[in-house]
Amino acid sequence: LITTVTLNPCMDTGIILDEFLYGGLNRVDKNMYDVGGKGINVSVVIKMLGIQSVCTGINYFDNKEILEKFLNKKGIGYDFVLAPGRLRNNIKIFDKKTGTITEINEKGSFISDEIIYRLKEKIIYYARQSDILILSGSVPQGVDTSIYGQIINDVRNLPVKVILDADGSLLKAGIHSKPYMIKPNIYELEGIMGRKFKNIYDIIDSSRSLVEQGISLVIVSMGDGGAVAVDKKSAYFAPALSLDVKSAVGAGDSMVAAAAAAIIKGLDLADTLKMASAAASATVIQSGTKLCGLSDFEYMLDRIKIIPYK
Ligand SMILES: Nc1ncnc2c1ncn2[C@@H]1O[C@H](COP(=O)(O)OP(=O)(O)OP(=O)(O)O)[C@@H](O)[C@H]1O
Ligand SMILES: [Mg+2]
């Protein structure tokens, strides 16, 4: 079993207007709704790859049906801690005339210590039954940035492998607790190392230093520069494919999902990077928040090249 954790889910409302009238009355031509949250994205891609996962994390009493309906429709199991309040809504207004997008993001509800306590209990419960525990994304107000580090410590003595995909101090504190795998993008890794990278050797060296600190597997995504994977024994580079990129949203989540699937299957580092890169490539050719499909994934899997590095 794979368990994904989403502490800060959201819904996205896309509003398409012929022309956005600032300060005026806007009549909506077309509306789009979507459910977001990095752990949830990871679960969606894991499902596409034919593997079962369960989503846990935080959902909200007042409109808990939104997340539940979405996951029911996808056939993904879930067990969230319910917090008072409502799922935050991120509104994106598309202006067809100018081609601009105006975003209005809600802050979301404040999470109490009691909810965090129950959340940790639940995560430990699932971690006991899981091969892999995936901690992804931001956290809501009231949650300490050491949360992922705390969770990694909580499950330290279980056989579960923890994958961490977060930014800033969430990542820093998490790394301190030595998860099994991390998947920073270049900027997140630069933040951790406190410097800018000059070239791919620099990135591989930095990843090696993290492996030496006790993280078994480091995959660094580099956007249109591809990705590298480093473990104790080897290092590989997967150049990005030249694609008709529609939207990079969810590319990192797709990488994490496919890497988890590869780990479950017991694949080696080269094939893990190959699967991760194929899933990300299959996602960037989808528009908006849409994630990869199986036929695109298989198509990309045949095309991703893996280059060993010294
Ligand atoms: N422009 C692109 N062309 C080809 N492949 C791409 C492009 N952008 C991203 N990818 C693929 O997606 C992978 C992940 O991208 P990226 O480094 O942007 O992840 P991320 O910043 O973690 O994304 P996320 O927003 O999902 O967290 C890359 O390693 C690459 O395989
Ligand atoms: Mg990312």
Side-chain angles (χ1 to χ4, degrees):
L1 182 71
I2 299 178
T3 298
T4 66
V5 176
T6 305
L7 295 191
N8 204 12
C10 65
M11 61 185 287
D12 293 318
T13 304
I15 296 171
I16 301 169
L17 299 170
D18 285 329
E19 182 182 6
F20 178 40
L21 299 173
Y22 177 76
L25 173 65
N26 292 277
R27 291 191 193 280
V28 178
D29 181 30
K30 205 176 152 199
N31 243 355
M32 296 182 307
Y33 298 100
D34 200 7
V35 163
K38 297 188 83 71
I40 291 168
N41 290 345
V42 173
S43 273
V44 169
V45 174
I46 287 175
K47 168 87 189 184
M48 181 280 291
L49 294 168
I51 295 172
Q52 279 299 325
S53 73
V54 54
C55 287
T56 186
I58 296 171
N59 192 8
Y60 295 90
F61 273 113
D62 294 356
N63 56 359
K64 63 179 192 313
E65 304 75 24
I66 294 171
L67 262 185
E68 292 178 354
K69 261 192 201 155
F70 174 85
L71 291 168
N72 285 338
K73 220 163 107 187
K74 295 273 180 194
I76 296 167
Y78 55 84
D79 184 3
F80 293 99
V81 173
L82 289 176
R86 37 181 285 282
L87 187 69
R88 71 201 162 97
N89 190 7
N90 293 335
I91 299 166
K92 293 177 176 54
I93 303 166
F94 300 90
D95 182 330
K96 284 205 271 191
K97 192 173 174 192
T98 59
T100 48
I101 302 176
T102 305
E103 295 190 66
I104 303 168
N105 286 3
E106 287 185 350
K107 249 203 228 157
S109 308
F110 189 91
I111 298 299
S112 68
D113 289 348
E114 201 249 290
I115 296 290
I116 291 300
Y117 179 82
R118 283 170 44 208
L119 176 81
K120 283 176 149 188
E121 297 280 284
K122 205 180 271 301
I123 291 173
I124 293 167
Y125 172 80
Y126 282 99
R128 281 187 205 289
Q129 311 163 47
S130 301
D131 307 285
I132 297 179
L133 175 69
I134 303 178
L135 309 172
S136 331
S138 61
V139 300
Q141 302 175 76
V143 180
D144 197 278
T145 54
S146 66
I147 183 79
Y148 291 146
Q150 293 173 37
I151 294 169
I152 296 165
N153 286 335
D154 287 346
V155 302
R156 169 142 348 265
N157 294 320
L158 300 174
V160 67
K161 294 183 165 116
V162 182
I163 300 180
L164 174 64
D165 180 17
D167 196 2
S169 33
L170 282 165
L171 177 59
K172 237 178 207 160
I175 283 179
H176 200 73
S177 297
K178 301 186 186 14
Y180 177 80
M181 174 187 144
I182 57 173
K183 197 236 48 85
N185 62 30
I186 273 200
Y187 310 105
E188 290 159 352
L189 186 64
E190 283 180 341
I192 290 304
M193 305 308 287
R195 61 190 178 86
K196 295 252 174 251
F197 300 129
K198 289 192 275 313
N199 53 45
I200 194 164
Y201 294 101
D202 222 5
I203 295 169
I204 289 176
D205 284 346
S206 298
S207 304
R208 281 218 170 96
S209 75
L210 292 169
V211 170
E212 270 159 29
Q213 283 171 44
I215 298 168
S216 300
L217 170 48
V218 178
I219 297 183
V220 184
S221 65
M222 309 182 292
D224 61 4
V228 298
V230 175
D231 70 6
K232 226 177 189 147
K233 288 182 292 194
S234 35
Y236 295 99
F237 168 49
L241 299 174
S242 173
L243 301 167
D244 178 15
V245 175
K246 297 268 171 56
S247 152
V249 177
D253 304 332
S254 305
M255 281 203 115
V256 168
I263 292 166
I264 286 259
K265 288 176 197 223
L267 300 184
D268 65 13
L269 185 68
D271 283 337
T272 300
L273 178 62
K274 196 175 200 181
M275 272 189 70
S277 300
S281 304
T283 288
V284 300
I285 60 168
Q286 298 288 346
S287 51
T289 52
K290 217 166 165 272
L291 299 162
C292 48
L294 189 57
S295 56
D296 287 336
F297 168 73
E298 283 167 349
Y299 176 89
M300 300 297 176
L301 201 56
D302 283 342
R303 280 159 185 78
I304 295 284
K305 295 275 173 292
I306 299 294
I307 301 165
Y309 266 68
K310 281 250 165 54

